[in-house]
Amino acid sequence: MTSTETEISHVKIFDTTLRDGEQAPGFSMDGGQKLRMARALSDLGVDIIEAGFAIASPGDFEAVQTIAREITDTTICSLARCNSSDIHAAGDAITPAKKSRIHVFIATSPLHREYKLKMSKDEVLERAIKSIGHALEYTDDVEFSAEDAIRTERDYLKIICEAAIAAGARTINIPDTVGYTTPEEITDLFRFLTTEIAGANKVIFSTHCHDDLGLAVANSLAAVRGGARQIECAVNGIGERAGNCALEEVAMALRTRIDFFHHDTRINSKKINMVSKMLASITGNAVARNKAIVGQNAFAHESGIHQHGMLANRETYEIMKPEDIGLEPDNLVLGKHSGRAALRHRAEKLGFTLSDNQLQSVFVDFKTLADEKREVFDADIEALILGEAIGGSGPWEIDSLYVSAGSDDSKSPEASIQLSHEDGSIKVGVQSASGPVNAVLLVLNNLTGHDLKLDSFNARSVSEGEDAMAEADIRVSTKFESYHGRGTSTDTILATARAYLDVINRIERQKKRAGDEQHKIASQH
Ligand code: KIV
Ligand code: ZN
C-alpha cells in the first residue's frame, strides 16, 4: 500500500488536565471550574477525561462525582493507588457516569520499589493483580499503570503487564514518570510490549510522558510509532513539574503529519484555542507567547521576508491554518450596532457554545464595551465570555470606583469605592495607601470584612489599541487557602478590583453553600 492508501486509525486521547495537570502547584481548580473544563474537554472530543483522584480530598471526590453525573458523551475516569480505600473512593465517585473507568497504578521501578514502596517485585505484582480485580467490581473498564515504567527492568515490566492483562485490565499505561526517555528508546519499548507480551492484542497500550527534558510530545509520538494507541496528555501541557505531553501539540502533530504517522485523533481542532484560553483563564497561567499551536505568536508572521512569502502563498511559512485551531482570520468584528445573533455567531466561530442566559449576560457586557471601545476584537469577546463563564456572580458588585495616583510626594494614592450587595445594602469606603492597587484592595477588605493577603497580581491587555481590554489575574491567600481571581475591564485598576472581588465573592458563595448544607442536615434530624 502507498502512504496515501494506508488506512488511518484513531489514537485515543486520555486527558489528564484535571488530575495530573490540576495537581501541579499553581494550577488548582475548584469543583465548578473543573466541571466547566470537563464540559469543554468533552466538546473538544477527548475520549477519556481523568477527572481527578477521588481519595485525595472530599472536594476531589465531589468534583469527580459531579463530572461523572454531568458529562455523558465521554468516559470519566478516576485515579486510584493499588489499595482498597483508593479504589473504593474511585469506584463510588464514578458510579453516576454513563461510561466510566478506574485507573489504578503502582510503581514498578527498582528505585520506587526499594525506597518508596519498600516492596519486593512479587509483592508489587500481587498488589497490582488484586487491585485490578477490585476495580473490576465497579467498572469493566480498568486501566493499569506501571508507574516509572521507563526505569523498570524490561523482563519485570513484561511480567507485570502480562499479569495485569490476565487480571482484566483493558488499558496498559507505560508512564515516563520522570521525563527520562528518548524517542528512539520509547518506540523500541512499545514495539517490544505490543508484540512480545502475552495478551497484547487484547488491550490498548497507552503512553504518559512528562516533559522534564522537553521531550514529552516527541516521546508520545514516538510511542505511537511503536504501537501505543492511547496518549495521555493535558491542555497547555500542564502537569507535575515541567508538565505532561501537551494535548494541542500532539493532536496537531498527528493531524498535520498524518502522511507520516497514519494515525489521527477525534479532537475537534477548531475548539483547541478556546479550551486553551479557558484553562489559562481559570488557572491564571497564561501560555508563553511563543508556545507551539496556542501561543500568541504561533501564527504571527513578523519579518518582511516571511510576510512577502505569506502574501505570495500562505504555505511558504504556514504548515497549519489559524482557522484549524479556531482562530478567525478576520479579527475585527463587532461594533455597538451588532445584535445578539451576530454575537452568538462570533462566539461559535471562536469555539464557545453559549446558553441563552449566558448570551444575554455576555451581550449586556458587550454593549457596554462597544460603547467604551472604538473596535471590538475577537480577544475582547473571548475575555467577556471567559469572564462570564469563570467569574460567577455576586453577592458583591462594584457600583463605582475612583482612584487617584501619581508622583506628588505631598499626596498618597487614594481609592474610593461603592459596592452593592445582593441583599440590597450599599457600602462606600475611601482609603489611601502607598500605591493605587494597594488602596483599592484595602477598601475592598474593609467593605466586605475580609482580610486577604495579596500574593501576586498581573494585568495585561488582551487586545490591541490604547483602549484595549485589560485582564487582571490575582493570587491571594487567607490563613488556610490560596485563591486565583480574574477580572476584565478597559481600565486596569477596575480589572484588578474585579479580580479581587471575584475571590471574595467565591469565598462568600462557598460559605453560603456550606451553611445551606448544614441547615439541610440539621433539619433532617
Ligand atoms: O506520571 C505518572 O507516572 C502518573 C501515573 C499516576 C500514571 O501520573
Ligand atoms: Zn504523570
Side-chain angles (χ1 to χ4, degrees):
M1 250 191 236
T2 67
S3 67
T4 44
E5 285 166 340
T6 311
E7 229 177 273
I8 302 301
S9 60
H10 285 97
V11 174
K12 285 183 196 274
I13 292 293
F14 176 107
D15 179 274
T16 188
T17 308
L18 299 176
R19 199 278 298 167
D20 209 319
E22 200 265 348
Q23 78 194 36
F27 287 92
S28 63
M29 295 174 233
D30 66 29
Q33 293 170 330
K34 284 185 187 169
L35 180 60
R36 279 192 287 275
M37 272 310 296
R39 287 209 171 97
L41 290 167
S42 177
D43 274 359
L44 177 67
V46 309
D47 299 277
I48 301 109
I49 295 174
E50 189 166 48
F53 189 13
I55 192 79
S57 71
D60 280 51
F61 179 91
E62 205 183 308
V64 177
Q65 195 178 45
T66 308
I67 292 169
R69 198 172 38 239
E70 301 286 326
I71 309 292
T72 50
D73 296 338
T74 313
T75 299
I76 306 301
C77 172
S78 173
L79 183 68
R81 285 165 298 191
C82 281
N83 67 59
S84 51
S85 33
D86 274 41
I87 295 166
H88 181 66
D92 270 359
I94 54 151
T95 299
K98 242 179 156 176
K99 294 185 276 181
S100 64
R101 173 179 293 192
I102 296 179
H103 175 190
V104 291
F105 77 100
I106 189 162
T108 52
S109 66
L111 268 170
H112 282 239
R113 289 193 315 259
E114 187 179 339
Y115 295 100
K116 188 177 84 174
L117 299 175
K118 302 191 189 330
M119 284 167 78
S120 69
K121 283 181 177 172
D122 285 347
E123 285 167 333
V124 170
L125 184 70
E126 196 185 311
R127 185 77 80 77
I129 296 169
K130 192 167 159 212
S131 301
I132 292 167
H134 187 187
L136 283 167
E137 292 171 18
Y138 297 91
T139 171
D140 56 6
D141 186 352
V142 172
E143 169 169 335
F144 171 72
S145 274
E147 190 190 5
D148 204 16
I150 291 294
R151 294 190 299 171
T152 300
E153 307 90 330
R154 208 177 257 212
D155 55 348
Y156 180 57
L157 188 60
K158 177 175 187 290
I159 292 171
I160 200 155
C161 289
E162 285 177 344
I165 296 170
R170 276 197 197 169
T171 306
I172 304 292
N173 186 36
I174 307 296
D176 183 13
T177 304
V178 291
Y180 182 72
T181 195
T182 67
E184 288 77 8
E185 207 171 44
I186 201 169
T187 303
D188 183 60
L189 178 62
F190 272 86
R191 222 163 248 154
F192 164 75
L193 293 170
T194 53
T195 55
E196 299 291 322
I197 76 171
N201 57 344
K202 290 198 273 184
V203 295
I204 286 189
F205 278 89
S206 165
T207 179
H208 175 114
C209 294
H210 279 270
D211 207 29
D212 300 67
L213 294 173
L215 290 170
V217 173
N219 286 337
S220 303
L221 293 167
V224 171
R225 302 259 295 148
R229 293 295 174 261
Q230 173 178 288
I231 300 173
E232 304 202 352
C233 49
V235 176
N236 297 344
I238 71 170
E240 282 281 2
R241 304 181 310 281
N244 281 95
C245 168
L247 181 153
E248 60 284 357
E249 294 180 24
V250 84
M252 289 311 287
L254 286 173
R255 189 147 306 162
T256 307
R257 294 307 313 277
I258 201 155
D259 60 313
F260 180 74
F261 292 109
H262 309 302
H263 281 90
D264 199 357
T265 68
R266 292 190 182 80
I267 293 296
N268 174 359
S269 68
K270 289 195 183 294
K271 301 262 180 185
I272 282 180
N273 179 55
M274 178 275 283
V275 180
S276 162
K277 288 259 167 58
M278 180 180 278
L279 180 68
S281 267
I282 285 179
T283 62
N285 293 288
V287 297
R289 209 182 163 107
N290 64 330
K291 181 179 178 308
I293 316 294
V294 289
Q296 211 179 321
N297 285 4
F299 292 92
H301 300 273
E302 211 37 57
S303 92
I305 296 173
H306 286 209
Q307 287 178 351
H308 174 76
M310 287 285 290
L311 287 173
N313 181 340
R314 279 173 73 164
E315 285 178 28
T316 48
Y317 287 102
E318 202 170 76
I319 57 165
M320 297 164 279
K321 295 193 196 66
E323 303 89 282
D324 295 343
I325 64 149
L327 285 168
E328 286 301 308
D330 50 341
N331 188 324
L332 180 60
V333 278
L334 307 176
K336 63 179 176 184
H337 301 296
S338 310
R340 280 182 192 72
L343 181 62
R344 189 195 286 278
H345 180 70
R346 197 69 205 169
E348 271 164 16
K349 288 215 137 199
L350 293 169
F352 297 92
T353 313
L354 300 180
S355 68
D356 289 347
N357 278 347
Q358 280 171 324
L359 178 68
Q360 180 50 30
S361 157
V362 174
F363 187 66
V364 171
D365 292 345
F366 163 73
K367 282 286 174 184
T368 313
L369 183 66
D371 271 339
E372 284 170 23
K373 285 195 79 194
R374 286 195 312 271
E375 296 162 327
V376 180
F377 294 94
D378 284 354
D380 297 318
I381 294 172
E382 272 173 357
L384 289 181
I385 295 172
L386 289 168
E388 170 58 27
I390 288 148
S393 60
W396 292 104
E397 215 175 283
I398 298 173
D399 294 335
S400 66
L401 175 147
Y402 184 75
V403 172
S404 60
S407 62
D408 183 343
D409 282 346
S410 65
K411 293 183 202 143
S412 302
E414 191 177 83
S416 71
I417 302 178
Q418 178 174 310
L419 293 184
S420 55
H421 193 273
E422 64 185 16
D423 67 8
S425 59
I426 301 236
K427 293 203 170 181
V428 182
V430 182
Q431 181 86 44
S432 51
S434 55
V437 170
N438 200 1
V440 165
L441 305 190
L442 284 173
V443 180
L444 291 176
N445 272 350
N446 288 344
L447 295 182
T448 60
H450 284 264
D451 186 17
L452 302 178
K453 187 171 120 340
L454 177 66
D455 296 325
S456 68
F457 99 97
N458 171 18
R460 62 189 186 100
S461 73
V462 296
S463 59
E464 293 144 46
E466 65 266 20
D467 56 357
M469 277 268 272
E471 184 177 80
D473 280 305
I474 197 156
R475 284 189 192 279
V476 292
S477 50
T478 62
K479 263 191 223 136
F480 310 103
E481 259 190 272
S482 84
Y483 296 86
H484 158 243
R486 178 185 177 278
T488 53
S489 167
T490 47
D491 177 321
T492 316
I493 300 276
L494 183 55
T496 308
R498 283 183 175 154
Y500 199 72
L501 204 61
D502 174 31
V503 174
I504 290 176
N505 279 335
R506 222 155 348 112
I507 295 174
E508 297 212 1
R509 289 200 300 272
Q510 246 169 26
K511 265 199 206 144
K512 185 168 182 305
R513 269 201 306 275
D516 289 351
E517 203 55 42
Q518 275 197 333
H519 183 72
K520 215 166 83 191
I521 294 167
S523 59
Q524 280 165 354
H525 290 290

